[in-house]
Amino acid sequence: MKESRSLEFKERVTSTFLKTVCAYANFGDGVICFGIDDDGNVVGLDDAVCACLDIENRINDSISPAPDYSLSLDDKNNVITLEVREGRFKPYYYKGKAYKRNDTATIEVDRIELNRLVLEGENLSYDELESDEKDLKFFFLEEKMKKEIGISEINDDILRTLGIIRSDGKYSNAGALLADENSFCGIDCARFGETIDIIFDREILEKKSILQQYDEAVSLYRKYYQFDEIKGAARVTVETIPEKAFRETIANALVHRAWDINAHIRVAMYQDRIEVFSPGGLPKGITAEEYLSGQISVLRNPLIGGVFYRLNIIESFGTGIQRIDAAYAGSKVRPRHEFSPNVIKVVLPVISEGDELSGDEQIIYKSLSRTGKSSSQIIEASGFGKSKALRVLRDLEEKGYIRKTGNGRGTKYQKSNDK
């Protein structure tokens, strides 16, 4: 047994454990075991009954508001188990500071994380907060609503319905982001050549309505990934990357990004792909598997999402990922989604008519099933050795033909275009 983000060992009862209690109450359930050393060896406590009372008093006297926890004592080895549950009344403070777990360490949260805890405790989103902006104009939003919804003009009642004007009469952050001018970062687009040292084009779309940024990003996409072709007597538009996939990716980035991070959405355009980097990582409580499958839809910015939904830019029930994948239906190359704590990355590959799999890749690809197979099942089905099978699987995943789910022994591989 080893320490982890949700498990900590304490050989004795000292006040150092209180930071970890605070961290678990703020960011997720966790356990602290007293009477176990750092190597996981059971050493027990001399007077475990008194230690239980000491732990309880220290928590009640030092952490505010009171966290949700329980204590249990193992009489056989004199080990105390303290279970702390994530609380509803965030942030939780120890000596005036809030904490979080960073792997097996407990550290103080930064200003952005503290602000997010405050919002979570009040059941608010960032786009609902009061904006510092004054005298905002909404001509671009008005034109969009005239075209899509049929309104004659935008007024305060409509702005209140959208959440742009708050109940106190002040503008929300959503209002500032949708206004014709604002002070937020936007979308940084760059078109590269054969290497990142060669930049053919660069446009930074910022300090303007995110609706306008969306339209201008789509226009830049069309410049490089669409062309007209004469087929017989007809002129047809050819998309080397599906426009639906790009539109959905940019809309998702604008709606779901963390706007309290002072960073741009980055759009890197290459000859063979587009990469979109959205600041903020996954919404809290959502796993990568749930995000990709659309099982749970959590809007980080519900007011912005509501406007984009009314303007028919996004669908309502978290179908964005499925719509991106559907845009590649019939193609062997597939979009990829990568996640880190602070960034969501989406890769949209160029569809190439001559893109074919090698013989080894075809054998592995054809051996996969709709529900996914483990590496051992794939090795048995293909007849390849372990190292060769894993190498081919990595190549197929990199090309976007397959995707990997799960971890460790639960890892499975399946075709990216299986529905």
Side-chain angles (χ1 to χ4, degrees), residues 224-241:
Y224 293 110
Y225 300 96
Q226 285 186 359
F227 60 90
D228 288 341
E229 183 176 80
I230 304 298
K231 291 188 176 181
R235 180 187 296 270
V236 297
T237 298
V238 178
E239 301 174 351
T240 58
I241 290 176

Side-chain angles (χ1 to χ4, degrees), residues 40-202:
N41 301 311
V42 176
V43 295
L45 297 168
D46 291 337
D47 190 342
V49 174
C50 286
C52 276
L53 182 60
D54 185 20
I55 292 168
E56 187 172 355
N57 287 336
R58 288 178 193 249
I59 293 175
N60 295 340
D61 292 343
S62 305
I63 297 179
S64 178
D68 181 11
Y69 68 93
S70 60
L71 285 164
S72 60
L73 169 61
D74 189 334
D75 295 327
K76 294 180 180 179
N77 53 23
N78 284 336
V79 169
I80 297 172
T81 299
L82 169 62
E83 296 185 38
V84 183
R85 287 166 284 279
E86 184 174 1
R88 296 171 52 196
F89 306 107
K90 301 169 184 174
Y92 291 83
Y93 295 99
Y94 169 60
K95 291 187 175 181
K97 297 179 180 179
Y99 293 88
K100 68 174 182 178
R101 292 286 279 176
N102 184 16
D103 196 12
T104 60
T106 301
I107 61 174
E108 185 179 354
V109 302
D110 60 27
R111 181 183 59 81
I112 290 178
E113 290 168 320
L114 180 58
N115 289 340
R116 290 176 181 171
L117 285 173
V118 172
L119 291 178
E120 191 175 348
E122 296 180 358
N123 197 28
L124 291 172
S125 61
Y126 179 79
D127 64 347
E128 294 176 280
L129 294 182
E130 176 187 342
S131 170
D132 294 329
E133 305 282 353
K134 312 293 182 184
D135 302 320
L136 299 176
K137 306 298 181 185
F138 300 95
F139 294 116
F140 198 89
L141 173 62
E142 183 177 57
E143 289 304 311
K144 283 284 188 183
M145 296 190 75
K146 285 180 178 178
K147 180 179 178 181
E148 296 295 333
I149 303 176
I151 66 166
S152 57
E153 63 178 10
I154 203 166
N155 55 40
D156 284 358
D157 288 337
I158 291 175
L159 294 178
R160 286 190 174 88
T161 299
L162 297 176
I164 288 173
I165 295 180
R166 293 158 31 109
S167 58
D168 59 8
K170 299 177 180 179
Y171 290 114
S172 65
N173 282 331
L177 287 161
L178 292 161
D180 297 331
E181 296 181 7
N182 59 57
S183 58
F184 287 92
C185 291
I187 306 174
D188 183 358
C189 303
R191 167 66 176 184
F192 296 97
E194 293 182 357
T195 70
I196 59 174
D197 297 322
I198 302 173
I199 301 177
F200 291 140
D201 199 356
R202 178 82 178 272

